[in-house]
Each structure stands twice: as structure tokens, then as C-alpha cells.
Amino acid sequence: TVEGYQTITPEAAYEALSAEAADIILLDVRTEKEYNEKHIPESILLPLDDLDKQAEAVLPDKDAVIYVYCRSGSRSQKAAQQLLEAGYTQVYDLGGINSWPYETE
């Protein structure tokens, strides 16, 4: 894994988002179709396939705290590693929305 790669549990992420939501970017790296079916509130869609091309436009602050999630956890791991390689400093792999026990929309 890439240096700096970290995971975060749904429980820890939920607590942090509840406490200081404005400072955390919730990044959904699934497809637009999956996102439209169900996503975590306040999350931003940036499909894994577009990450290389669009990360800097969508996520200009490389020191922002970013929680990445997908459906089951494999795409979020790849996305987190890509972001770290691109110079982002506080990326956390939240895993899959399948294991998110809280509200979705």
C-alpha cells in the first residue's frame, strides 16, 4: 500500500462528520448510476475512472480531510491510494456503502 494509506470505520467517520462536517470531504467513487440510487448525504461523486483527470478540479485543497467510499471497498482503496500518490495528505478509506449503517439518500 501507499505511504500514508489509512482506513476509517463507519462509526469513526460518522462521529467525525457529525462533529465537524464542514471540514471533511466525503467522496463517492462509484458510478453516477450507483450514486443516484443511494449515497451518503453530503457526499461528492467523482467516479474512480475520472479520478486522475478531475481530482484537482473537484478537490483543490490537497490538505483537506477526505473520506473515500464505494460499494464494497475495492474502488475506495484504489482511489485512496491514487489520491495519496497525487499528493493529497489526509485521505481515509471508508470502504463500502454496503457497511454504512447510517442514513443514505
Side-chain angles (χ1 to χ4, degrees), residues 27-73:
L27 190 66
D28 187 324
V29 294
R30 300 173 302 154
T31 64
E32 188 172 357
K33 181 176 182 288
E34 288 172 299
Y35 180 85
N36 289 337
E37 284 168 7
K38 177 173 89 169
H39 59 270
I40 300 172
E42 307 294 312
S43 60
I44 300 170
L45 175 67
L46 180 54
L48 181 59
D49 293 344
D50 299 334
L51 195 60
D52 282 347
K53 298 186 289 291
Q54 297 180 2
E56 295 200 8
V58 177
L59 308 164
D61 180 359
K62 292 202 170 185
D63 294 319
V65 177
I66 302 172
Y67 293 172
V68 185
Y69 75 92
C70 60
R71 186 180 52 81
S72 64

Side-chain angles (χ1 to χ4, degrees), residues 16-25 65:
L17 289 163
S18 301
E20 44 192 312
D23 298 287
I24 299 169
I25 297 168
V65 177

Side-chain angles (χ1 to χ4, degrees), residues 8-21 24 26 40-41 67 94 100-103:
I8 189 165
T9 64
E11 294 74 23
Y14 184 77
E15 267 181 45
L17 289 163
S18 301
E20 44 192 312
I24 299 169
L26 200 50
I40 300 172
Y67 293 172
L94 179 54
W100 180 258
Y102 308 103
E103 182 188 350

